[in-house]
Amino acid sequence: MADYTKYTNKEMQAITLAQQITNDNIAIVGTGLPLIGASVAKRLFAPKCNLIVESGLMDCSPIEVPRSVGDLRFMAHCGCQWPNIRFIGFEANEWLHDTDRLIAFIGGAQIDPYGNVNSTCIGDYHAPKTRFTGSGGANAIATFSNTIIMIQHEKRRFMQKIDYVTSPGWIDGPGGRERLGLPGNRGPQAVVTDRGILKFDEKTKRMYLAGYYETSSPEDVIENTGFDIDVSRAVKLDAPAPEVIRMIREEIDPGQAFIQVPKEEPAN
């Protein structure tokens, strides 16, 4: 019999993502862990939230995690199938009417203390060591929507200065967004990693450790962060309920497309 009391850091990461969504939110999601997290939120934590994707599908409620934003499993259980341009119009309309409903999930290769994200290149832009896929819609999303950032917690990713700013965070602190002509009342709300969750100080706009998993610790987070980080407010996060782990493994991602489940050791 499967033991759902044991869980992986990726499952904990997905559940922590889910807990950032409220019933009032319209959540812009992609595939992977954010979609697993959004699916958990829709089923357990925020059943009245609405999930939308950049391909134009609105009010999605997939039974099983899709592999892409154009997957038929997305289309089969959504309220409206718009063309992509209508999604962009909806995003702009939310901003023009100054609503606070949109929350978006983005990722990247590097992040700095103020939540600026690089998903473009490693090294010099004109002669990079590595070139990534780039923004997609992430720059516009990070400009006009509140964001939750998902990234693996490693020193090479959490940097004092990133190589390129693909998606703007709080820029360089209070007033940074306004100085560049960006909306000052939008920005990153949290960073969810495989070690815990980080948030941004209301006054300084600098990242701090808010919570850590039982497999991690404040000292572990400090060791794997490439800049000074405040851990004085950190609390250990509760382990997920076995029923949530069962739901992820058996219903949301049964094919282990995005979360690999460790094989159980045979009983003696």
Side-chain angles (χ1 to χ4, degrees):
M1 181 179 293
D3 183 359
Y4 299 115
T5 63
K6 297 179 181 178
Y7 60 92
T8 68
N9 279 2
K10 278 198 172 183
E11 287 169 329
M12 188 66 182
Q13 192 174 4
I15 293 165
T16 305
L17 287 167
Q19 292 168 334
Q20 310 314 304
I21 301 176
T22 70
N23 275 321
D24 296 329
N25 283 149
I26 298 172
I28 302 174
V29 297
T31 55
L33 285 184
L35 179 55
I36 292 175
S39 297
V40 171
K42 185 79 172 173
R43 296 180 187 215
L44 291 180
F45 303 133
K48 294 182 180 180
C49 74
N50 292 289
L51 311 182
I52 65 177
V53 295
E54 290 178 78
S55 58
L57 307 179
M58 315 296 285
D59 195 16
C60 304
S61 186
I63 294 176
E64 182 180 319
V65 64
R67 303 304 196 265
S68 74
V69 295
D71 195 314
L72 290 175
R73 281 167 289 197
F74 248 144
M75 297 180 184
H77 301 279
C78 70
C80 179
Q81 297 178 19
W82 275 348
N84 174 260
I85 190 65
R86 293 291 298 275
F87 162 85
I88 297 171
F90 176 81
E91 185 181 8
N93 194 58
E94 288 290 301
W95 162 246
L96 291 172
H97 286 82
D98 199 26
T99 69
D100 200 27
R101 300 185 297 176
L102 277 181
I103 191 166
F105 294 87
I106 64 173
Q110 296 175 336
I111 189 169
D112 73 11
Y114 298 102
N116 302 298
V117 173
N118 173 20
S119 59
T120 299
C121 63
I122 300 297
D124 181 78
Y125 178 83
H126 298 287
K129 296 178 183 177
T130 305
R131 175 77 69 181
F132 300 116
T133 54
S135 169
N139 178 276
I141 287 170
T143 296
F144 295 108
S145 304
N146 289 324
T147 55
I148 305 295
I149 301 163
M150 185 200 73
I151 191 170
Q152 298 306 98
H153 206 135
E154 302 170 341
K155 186 172 288 189
R156 66 190 179 99
R157 297 178 185 273
F158 280 70
M159 303 176 64
Q160 182 65 38
K161 180 177 176 57
I162 60 179
D163 292 335
Y164 187 92
V165 178
T166 309
S167 305
W170 296 112
I171 309 302
D172 56 1
R177 290 176 66 89
E178 292 90 336
R179 285 191 291 273
L180 295 181
L182 304 177
N185 62 345
R186 298 290 190 274
Q189 305 299 300
V191 182
V192 179
T193 81
D194 53 336
R195 300 180 192 274
I197 180 169
L198 305 102
K199 296 187 177 181
F200 296 87
D201 185 84
E202 193 67 30
K203 293 182 179 179
T204 67
K205 300 300 183 183
R206 188 180 173 94
M207 192 186 303
Y208 69 90
L209 179 65
Y212 57 93
Y213 308 151
E214 63 179 2
T215 55
S216 185
S217 67
E219 294 75 20
D220 178 48
V221 169
I222 290 172
E223 183 180 346
N224 287 280
T225 302
F227 49 81
D228 291 338
I229 187 161
D230 175 20
V231 299
S232 64
R233 290 172 269 186
V235 297
K236 185 165 76 170
L237 301 177
D238 293 335
E243 171 57 24
V244 182
I245 300 302
R246 186 206 65 78
M247 181 184 298
I248 291 173
R249 295 181 184 180
E250 304 298 332
E251 299 177 17
I252 296 175
D253 190 18
Q256 300 183 36
F258 299 110
I259 298 181
Q260 295 295 311
V261 180
K263 293 183 178 180
E264 295 186 20
E265 296 292 332
N268 293 329

